[in-house]
Amino acid sequence: MKTLRDYFPILTWGRHYGRQSLSDDLLAAVIVTIMLIPQSLAYALLAGLPPEAGLYASIVPIILYAVFGTSRALAVGPVAVVSLMTAAAIGAIAEQGSMGYGVAALTLAFLSGAILILMGVLRLGFIANFLSHPVIAGFITASGILIATSQASHILGVSAGGHTLPEMLTALIRALPQVNWITLVIGLSATGFLFWVRRGLKPLLRRMGIGARAADIVTKAGPVLAVVATTVAVWGLGLDAQGVRIVGAVPQGLPPLTLPSFSPDLIGLLIVPAALISIIGFVESVSVAQTLAAKRRQRIDPDQELIGLGAANMGAAFTGGMPVTGGFARSVVNFDAGAATAAAGAFTAVGLAVAAIALTPLIFYLPIATLAATIIVAVLSLVDLGILRRAWAYSRADFLAVAATILATLVMGVEVGVSTGVILSVALHLYKTSRPHVAEVGLVPGTQHFRNILRHEVQTDPAVLTLRIDESLYFANARFLEDYLADRVTPDCDLRHVILMCSAVNEIDLSALESLEAIAHRLDTMGIALHLSEVKGPVMDRLRGTDFLAHLTGRVFLSQHDAWQALRG
Amino acid sequence: MKTLRDYFPILTWGRHYGRQSLSDDLLAAVIVTIMLIPQSLAYALLAGLPPEAGLYASIVPIILYAVFGTSRALAVGPVAVVSLMTAAAIGAIAEQGSMGYGVAALTLAFLSGAILILMGVLRLGFIANFLSHPVIAGFITASGILIATSQASHILGVSAGGHTLPEMLTALIRALPQVNWITLVIGLSATGFLFWVRRGLKPLLRRMGIGARAADIVTKAGPVLAVVATTVAVWGLGLDAQGVRIVGAVPQGLPPLTLPSFSPDLIGLLIVPAALISIIGFVESVSVAQTLAAKRRQRIDPDQELIGLGAANMGAAFTGGMPVTGGFARSVVNFDAGAATAAAGAFTAVGLAVAAIALTPLIFYLPIATLAATIIVAVLSLVDLGILRRAWAYSRADFLAVAATILATLVMGVEVGVSTGVILSVALHLYKTSRPHVAEVGLVPGTQHFRNILRHEVQTDPAVLTLRIDESLYFANARFLEDYLADRVTPDCDLRHVILMCSAVNEIDLSALESLEAIAHRLDTMGIALHLSEVKGPVMDRLRGTDFLAHLTGRVFLSQHDAWQALRG
């Protein structure tokens, strides 16, 4: 039975909340807030939304996650991959910058929240397990490439759209003659500076004798420095008049109360993207949360996480936000900065609310190119093409799944990409199980252990054929087994007994049971008895409920060794 | 390597064709022809096509199958379930009786043929294995109910459409006031007579001293008797003037040369139904062919069957036909009548061609109700609701798949029905494998055999925990295993060694490998070593290619007994 405390994790940590936790959480919140201001604006830009949407999506959602979520360090808000998926989903149905575009984003967040909560209530968190590690790695890598490419136009100061790599590249090349050189200088400087901050600044500060913690904070504040420097440059030199695109007027104030659209048409168009965003967001978030929880020997509850993330998205939908999830970078920063409880998230929300009220006039002159630079630097760390090599070295099936995911994502977009990865990895798994490995086994001398006659020196008997079937027997391989035995067992030999060694058979379904009956019947007409050995408890329970055992021409042996001793000539 | 003879099975049996085969085949052809004339007309009616389409679909396709197919007894032509699926597919896009309707049927046959041939060339016959026995049984049962219901309107002499059971029943009830009583009398008499022929006539003839073969032929000719009697009655009494619907003018002559439409729009609309028809038709046909081949110790080649059936459908597309496949009833009749080779099919085609040329004027007055009666009697033998009980008794998952297939087919139509069945049975299988059974095992005293400690009296050791994982380790259960071990293994006990007994692990994919690494690392921090035992050859080959074994804190043992002897205190 779940208790109220399972549904409201805040009740657990809230009871013991003390001064130490408070000071840890406050410090973490300051650091994360500084990091999140430019990041939130940037991801709103990536999703095609006005910059304030990113700030709003980081305020109420964080508080709701703090109430319902089980991770103590997860920082919820707009993240790169989900923002890219949001742009792809909405871009297909509304004009960027239009009224409908913003409402569609709210609706997407609402649907995503509803799907996550429903999955949580129905305890469907296991669905995320069908995204294999290689598929996730491939999808994130391809998304990172897409995101970086999409931001290249802002660095160049041109307008270029597209949701796939070929579209984006074509648009970029076409737009090249319109390059705004001042924007390019700002964009490249910001990008170079941020890369340097990420790679070179912290070691430099440490060498200068600055403490690890302080060096870390300065490093995280790097994007803020870039924002301040470029904003001041544009303002001071009047570069906006030279065609440098700037953020412009951002409404000043707390997040507004907004309503998503409940139009059935819009819901129909957005429900599939919303489901994909929910699952991808959930997988990303849960991976981060589990990694961080394990470091402190805490546990997270994936089904309750669904509810926490669902509530966060619902919050985003009603407060002018966009789809959110637990982000990798921000959560790690939160964790490293010492966040002790989810209250750190709530304090971050307060910090961002203050920013939304007080700081928005200051970013009027912030160049879009700077935001693009922060995105590019953030996402390029996600790109890991080495997964292709590692998968190839391990297995062709894993490689095929990764390669197809990357290719489909780049060429056909995020939705097709992730679907391709999941469907292909499931299909490859099913294909493998539909043609199981079957080994003829014999006794390893001096033991009671039986192994493949082709790999080990073993004893066999011409009257007894023992086949170890290396797969559960179910509809997809039922006919394969029939065909295999028909090919393998011919009437004209000394063979009297066929033993199916079932140590690897974890299930026999109704289709396979019918095939076993057909096999037993066929062997019987050749004067050969069919035996089973090492049938597992759960499988045996099921067979006992049928008349298969009554009709079986042979016996069922507890161990293969028993069978061998009873049947050999 | 496949030889020419594999692609043209006719070359194999044609070389040894002799007088005995010829006389056997001729007799079988006569019997099948008599049976097929009314059946072909009836299935065309079921598909919503003019009656001659059924005859045409039984001429050229049979000959093409004789050339390319591997079964010696399979009789190809329109069958009930495929005709129903044809009606559902075309009914959605064209008005019955319109020019477009007939062309759509040709296009559907063409697409179906193309898909079958493609699957054959790519050796994709295994796809059919994903239709589990219970799903097929459920689908055929529900289709039988739909077909019988669809024909009820012809027995009542009313017009009522619909592609789902609720639609059909509503239309029938609405149409009840228009019942044509004379049609109803003809329809009920024909139905009653045919049921009696099927159930009671053969025993009666046998009791009267008539030989088994002759009694059989008379029984198969029952539908022809009903056709002759009701046609004569309508003609003699002028019942068509009383509102009894009759077949009317049927073109006299050989099948015409026709062209399917290659319009991309039409192909787009029909490609999914064509794929479903292909797979369902292939599964039905292959099941029949394999059953019959097994009785004579012949083999059929499923991939070549795809090509044979594909060629038959191509033939139907270009000669005024409709989608065809190997039918159960007609093939069994062909087999029982002694057909020795596929030449019997060719002779049947000649018989039907003669019928198309000479007999069509004679069926002008044939009442539609009689054809409906032959369909109803034929399909009710397909209905087997007992599959629900048998599946329930065996496993809830199988039951769920059957019940959902039946319900979805009845309520949402054939395409949704069969898709639901396949998707649900695959999903249930994946769900089961994503939460594998894990047993703690101990040594069965006096043996080297290890079994579940909860089911057997076994020896254990507090320092050694052996877990037998009853499933291949792959992405869907990788995280489950991590969670399971985190719950199961706690630091505060005497435990020093965890052995994963891998006798049931047929695969470890890249996701699972990463999980195993995480598990080994976690156990290591608790001072517990992770060992593997009974790793199979193919799995071990793959692990050897990685650095997992190098980092493993424990060892890999050939047998669980070796591990036990080495590690117990």
Side-chain angles (χ1 to χ4, degrees):
Chain A
M1 250 323 273
K2 275 199 151 192
T3 65
L4 198 62
R5 224 178 273 171
D6 289 320
Y7 286 110
F8 294 95
I10 193 174
L11 298 178
T12 307
W13 57 262
R15 279 153 51 105
H16 310 292
Y17 201 73
R19 184 185 296 255
Q20 181 59 43
S21 298
L22 179 67
S23 82
D24 286 350
D25 286 346
L26 273 176
L27 177 66
V30 169
I31 296 173
V32 175
T33 303
I34 292 170
M35 172 191 174
L36 281 196
I37 294 174
Q39 204 180 79
S40 301
L41 302 171
Y43 290 147
L45 175 77
L46 171 57
L49 289 163
E52 65 270 22
L55 276 182
Y56 297 161
S58 304
I59 298 176
V60 174
I62 289 187
I63 295 174
L64 286 171
Y65 179 82
V67 175
F68 293 101
T70 57
S71 166
R72 304 217 174 159
L74 197 72
V76 170
V79 305
V81 172
V82 167
S83 300
L84 175 72
M85 294 180 82
T86 299
I90 310 180
I93 58 172
E95 191 67 38
Q96 199 169 314
S98 73
M99 183 73 183
Y101 197 91
V103 173
L106 298 176
T107 307
L108 196 62
F110 173 79
L111 291 174
S112 181
I115 291 168
L116 287 164
I117 291 174
L118 194 71
M119 283 173 67
V121 171
L122 299 178
R123 309 189 68 72
L124 296 179
F126 71 91
I127 286 177
N129 295 341
F130 289 94
L131 276 168
S132 74
H133 296 196
V135 166
I136 297 170
F139 179 68
I140 300 276
T141 290
S143 298
I145 295 171
L146 282 182
I147 293 169
T149 312
S150 79
Q151 297 309 304
S153 62
H154 298 302
I155 300 285
L156 293 167
V158 300
S159 294
H163 292 295
T164 67
L165 196 61
E167 282 171 22
M168 289 176 182
L169 291 178
T170 314
L172 272 183
I173 291 165
R174 285 225 184 98
L176 269 189
Q178 283 86 49
V179 164
N180 182 295
W181 296 101
I182 302 175
T183 305
L184 185 59
V185 169
I186 295 174
L188 288 182
S189 320
T191 309
F193 172 72
L194 290 172
F195 266 117
W196 173 75
V197 164
R198 195 170 263 256
R199 298 273 162 84
L201 181 59
K202 199 169 158 189
L204 181 70
L205 292 172
R206 298 285 286 135
R207 278 199 301 278
M208 286 163 64
I210 294 171
R213 193 90 180 249
D216 223 34
I217 296 177
V218 174
T219 309
K220 298 306 177 221
V224 174
L225 285 180
V227 162
V228 171
T230 54
T231 304
V232 169
V234 170
W235 170 72
L237 305 173
L239 298 180
D240 53 320
Q242 310 287 321
V244 174
R245 283 182 55 220
I246 56 172
V247 167
V250 175
Q252 209 174 344
L254 285 173
L257 217 59
T258 53
L259 265 188
S261 158
F262 298 104
S263 128
D265 284 352
L266 189 62
I267 290 175
L269 288 168
L270 290 179
I271 192 81
V272 172
L276 291 174
I277 287 175
S278 304
I279 292 176
I280 290 287
F282 173 62
V283 169
E284 179 171 358
S285 182
V286 152
S287 314
V288 180
Q290 271 175 335
T291 307
L292 298 182
K295 290 194 184 178
R296 291 204 189 135
R297 301 251 169 145
Q298 292 162 351
R299 294 295 297 276
I300 64 145
D301 170 0
D303 288 314
Q304 182 62 28
E305 278 303 283
L306 284 165
I307 292 176
L309 292 174
N313 274 290
M314 283 286 179
F318 290 98
T319 58
M322 53 188 280
V324 295
T325 194
F328 180 73
R330 58 177 65 186
S331 301
V332 172
V333 169
N334 196 31
F335 181 87
D336 287 347
T341 71
F347 300 146
T348 305
V350 173
L352 290 169
V354 170
I357 294 169
L359 301 182
T360 47
L362 302 181
I363 58 170
F364 186 93
Y365 288 101
L366 169 59
I368 301 282
T370 307
L371 293 180
T374 65
I375 296 179
I376 289 174
V377 174
V379 298
L380 284 185
S381 67
L382 302 177
V383 173
D384 169 24
L385 286 168
I387 183 67
L388 281 170
R389 190 181 33 72
R390 293 198 301 280
W392 175 263
Y394 189 66
S395 94
R396 298 302 172 267
D398 280 312
F399 172 78
L400 202 57
V402 186
T405 306
I406 293 179
L407 199 69
T409 305
L410 291 179
V411 174
M412 289 184 284
V414 281
E415 287 165 18
V416 177
V418 70
S419 312
T420 301
V422 172
I423 292 169
L424 189 64
S425 51
V426 167
L428 286 168
H429 174 74
L430 291 173
Y431 178 74
K432 282 186 278 186
T433 62
S434 78
R435 310 174 73 87
H437 179 247
V438 180
E440 182 179 346
V441 297
L443 180 67
V444 179
T447 72
Q448 299 180 6
H449 191 62
F450 288 76
R451 292 302 280 245
N452 193 337
I453 60 166
L454 302 176
R455 288 176 179 261
H456 300 264
E457 283 290 331
V458 292
Q459 295 169 11
T460 55
D461 181 322
V464 180
L465 171 67
T466 303
L467 296 173
R468 189 190 71 204
I469 301 151
D470 284 355
E471 198 58 63
S472 291
L473 297 177
Y474 76 112
F475 55 89
N477 57 29
R479 181 149 3 240
F480 173 89
L481 188 69
E482 279 186 64
D483 289 349
Y484 183 90
L485 273 147
D487 283 342
R488 184 68 186 74
V489 181
T490 43
D492 44 8
C493 61
D494 303 333
L495 195 60
R496 287 292 156 267
H497 303 282
V498 169
I499 307 170
L500 297 182
M501 182 176 164
C502 298
S503 48
V505 174
N506 308 307
E507 199 210 344
I508 295 179
D509 78 353
L510 196 51
S511 301
L513 181 69
E514 289 176 17
S515 289
L516 283 180
E517 282 166 352
I519 289 166
H521 178 73
R522 194 185 158 91
L523 291 178
D524 193 29
T525 64
M526 296 193 256
I528 299 171
L530 179 70
H531 309 267
L532 305 179
S533 74
E534 310 214 349
V535 181
K536 294 176 189 205
V539 175
M540 201 62 201
D541 289 349
R542 190 146 283 168
L543 291 182
R544 280 209 194 88
T546 69
D547 52 4
F548 172 72
L549 296 176
H551 294 159
L552 192 65
T553 46
R555 292 161 57 192
V556 178
F557 296 94
L558 181 69
S559 75
Q560 172 59 25
H561 192 250
D562 292 352
W564 172 254
Q565 295 218 305
L567 301 176
R568 66 170 164 179
Chain B
M1 248 328 268
K2 276 197 149 195
T3 65
L4 199 63
R5 224 179 270 171
D6 289 320
Y7 286 109
F8 295 94
I10 194 173
L11 298 177
T12 307
W13 57 262
R15 281 153 51 104
H16 309 291
Y17 201 72
R19 185 184 295 257
Q20 180 59 40
S21 297
L22 178 66
S23 83
D24 286 350
D25 285 346
L26 274 176
L27 177 67
V30 169
I31 296 173
V32 174
T33 304
I34 292 171
M35 174 193 172
L36 281 196
I37 294 175
Q39 204 181 81
S40 302
L41 302 171
Y43 289 147
L45 175 75
L46 172 57
L49 290 162
E52 65 270 20
L55 276 182
Y56 298 159
S58 304
I59 298 175
V60 174
I62 289 186
I63 295 173
L64 287 170
Y65 180 81
V67 175
F68 293 101
T70 56
S71 167
R72 306 221 173 154
L74 197 72
V76 169
V79 306
V81 172
V82 167
S83 300
L84 175 71
M85 294 179 83
T86 300
I90 312 179
I93 58 170
E95 190 69 36
Q96 199 168 313
S98 72
M99 183 71 183
Y101 197 92
V103 172
L106 298 177
T107 308
L108 196 62
F110 173 79
L111 290 175
S112 181
I115 292 168
L116 287 164
I117 291 173
L118 194 70
M119 283 174 65
V121 171
L122 299 178
R123 310 190 67 73
L124 295 179
F126 72 90
I127 287 177
N129 295 341
F130 288 95
L131 276 168
S132 74
H133 296 197
V135 166
I136 297 169
F139 179 68
I140 300 276
T141 290
S143 299
I145 295 171
L146 282 182
I147 293 168
T149 311
S150 78
Q151 297 309 304
S153 62
H154 298 302
I155 301 283
L156 293 167
V158 300
S159 294
H163 292 295
T164 67
L165 197 61
E167 281 171 22
M168 288 177 183
L169 291 178
T170 314
L172 272 182
I173 291 165
R174 286 228 183 95
L176 268 189
Q178 282 86 50
V179 164
N180 182 293
W181 296 99
I182 302 174
T183 306
L184 184 60
V185 169
I186 295 172
L188 288 181
S189 317
T191 309
F193 171 74
L194 290 172
F195 265 117
W196 173 77
V197 164
R198 194 169 264 255
R199 298 274 162 83
L201 181 60
K202 198 168 158 190
L204 181 72
L205 292 172
R206 297 286 286 135
R207 278 199 300 278
M208 286 162 65
I210 293 169
R213 193 92 180 250
D216 224 34
I217 297 177
V218 174
T219 309
K220 298 305 178 222
V224 174
L225 285 180
V227 163
V228 172
T230 55
T231 305
V232 169
V234 171
W235 169 71
L237 304 172
L239 297 179
D240 54 319
Q242 310 286 320
V244 173
R245 283 182 56 220
I246 55 174
V247 166
V250 175
Q252 212 173 341
L254 285 173
L257 217 61
T258 53
L259 266 188
S261 159
F262 298 103
S263 129
D265 285 352
L266 189 62
I267 290 175
L269 288 167
L270 290 178
I271 192 80
V272 172
L276 291 174
I277 287 175
S278 303
I279 292 176
I280 290 286
F282 173 62
V283 169
E284 180 172 356
S285 183
V286 151
S287 313
V288 180
Q290 271 175 335
T291 308
L292 298 181
K295 289 193 184 180
R296 292 207 187 131
R297 302 248 169 145
Q298 293 161 351
R299 294 294 298 277
I300 65 147
D301 170 359
D303 288 314
Q304 182 61 29
E305 278 303 282
L306 284 165
I307 293 175
L309 292 174
N313 273 291
M314 284 286 179
F318 290 97
T319 58
M322 54 189 279
V324 296
T325 193
F328 180 73
R330 59 178 64 191
S331 301
V332 171
V333 169
N334 196 31
F335 182 87
D336 287 346
T341 71
F347 299 146
T348 304
V350 173
L352 289 169
V354 170
I357 295 168
L359 302 182
T360 46
L362 301 182
I363 58 169
F364 186 93
Y365 288 102
L366 169 58
I368 300 282
T370 306
L371 293 179
T374 64
I375 295 179
I376 288 175
V377 174
V379 297
L380 284 185
S381 67
L382 302 177
V383 173
D384 170 24
L385 286 169
I387 183 67
L388 281 170
R389 190 180 34 73
R390 294 198 300 280
W392 176 263
Y394 189 68
S395 93
R396 298 301 173 268
D398 281 312
F399 172 79
L400 202 57
V402 186
T405 306
I406 293 180
L407 198 69
T409 306
L410 291 179
V411 174
M412 289 183 283
V414 281
E415 288 164 16
V416 177
V418 71
S419 313
T420 302
V422 172
I423 292 169
L424 189 64
S425 50
V426 166
L428 285 169
H429 174 73
L430 291 173
Y431 178 74
K432 281 185 279 184
T433 62
S434 77
R435 309 174 74 86
H437 179 247
V438 180
E440 182 179 347
V441 297
L443 180 66
V444 179
T447 72
Q448 299 180 4
H449 191 62
F450 288 75
R451 293 302 280 245
N452 193 337
I453 61 164
L454 301 177
R455 290 175 178 261
H456 300 264
E457 283 290 331
V458 292
Q459 294 168 10
T460 56
D461 181 321
V464 181
L465 170 67
T466 304
L467 296 173
R468 189 190 71 206
I469 301 151
D470 285 355
E471 199 59 63
S472 290
L473 297 177
Y474 77 113
F475 55 89
N477 56 30
R479 177 141 16 231
F480 173 90
L481 188 69
E482 279 186 64
D483 289 348
Y484 183 90
L485 274 148
D487 283 343
R488 183 68 186 73
V489 181
T490 43
D492 44 7
C493 59
D494 303 333
L495 194 60
R496 286 292 155 267
H497 303 282
V498 169
I499 307 169
L500 297 183
M501 181 175 164
C502 297
S503 47
V505 174
N506 307 308
E507 198 210 345
I508 294 177
D509 78 354
L510 195 51
S511 302
L513 182 69
E514 289 176 17
S515 288
L516 284 179
E517 282 166 352
I519 289 167
H521 179 72
R522 194 186 158 91
L523 291 178
D524 193 29
T525 64
M526 297 193 257
I528 299 171
L530 178 69
H531 309 266
L532 305 180
S533 74
E534 312 215 346
V535 181
K536 296 176 187 204
V539 175
M540 201 62 203
D541 289 348
R542 189 145 283 167
L543 291 182
R544 278 207 197 90
T546 70
D547 52 6
F548 172 73
L549 296 176
H551 294 160
L552 192 64
T553 47
R555 292 162 56 192
V556 178
F557 296 93
L558 181 70
S559 74
Q560 172 59 26
H561 192 251
D562 291 352
W564 173 252
Q565 295 216 302
L567 301 176
R568 68 172 162 176

